[in-house]
Amino acid sequence: YKRIFVRYGHGKTEHKSVAQQLPPNGCFLLTTDVFYTNGSPIVVEIKGPSETWLVAGIVRHAIKVHPSMAGFTRPGMGVELTHLPDPCRIYLASL
């Protein structure tokens, strides 16, 4: 799996997560703290080697599970990244 540490939130990046499964226009934010529901707009801060991008996104699939079930079902949010700058897309593809 490709995975990177990111920050995310609604309007500001107040939460930390690991982003994994990085297809060209999205990611899965692995977290037990699912604060947003399907359709919620969020921003994701992605740090590259020399640049940081603040990328707009929409929660497409929120999975909230009890912590005792986290070993069976990955809690988190599938996010469509809607305004992914080309340099950020290139960086994610290089991982």
Side-chain angles (χ1 to χ4, degrees):
Y1 286 106
K2 298 178 188 177
R3 39 187 311 160
I4 57 172
F5 292 98
V6 299
R7 295 180 63 82
Y8 69 96
H10 181 72
K12 60 181 179 175
T13 56
E14 56 194 340
H15 311 289
K16 296 177 184 177
S17 181
V18 172
Q20 59 184 42
Q21 295 178 325
L22 300 162
N25 294 318
C27 63
F28 185 79
L29 301 178
L30 185 61
T31 179
T32 55
D33 298 322
V34 178
F35 297 106
Y36 307 103
T37 58
N38 294 349
S40 297
I42 65 169
V43 292
V44 180
E45 180 183 277
I46 300 170
K47 289 189 179 190
S50 61
E51 209 173 339
T52 298
W53 299 279
L54 196 59
V55 181
I58 298 173
V59 175
R60 294 297 184 198
H61 189 72
I63 305 168
K64 190 170 190 170
V65 298
H66 189 274
S68 66
M69 297 298 291
F72 302 102
T73 301
R74 289 182 312 152
M77 296 173 287
V79 177
E80 176 188 359
L81 301 173
T82 57
H83 294 90
L84 193 60
D86 284 337
C88 184
R89 185 184 320 277
I90 292 166
Y91 167 68
L92 293 176
S94 74
L95 298 175

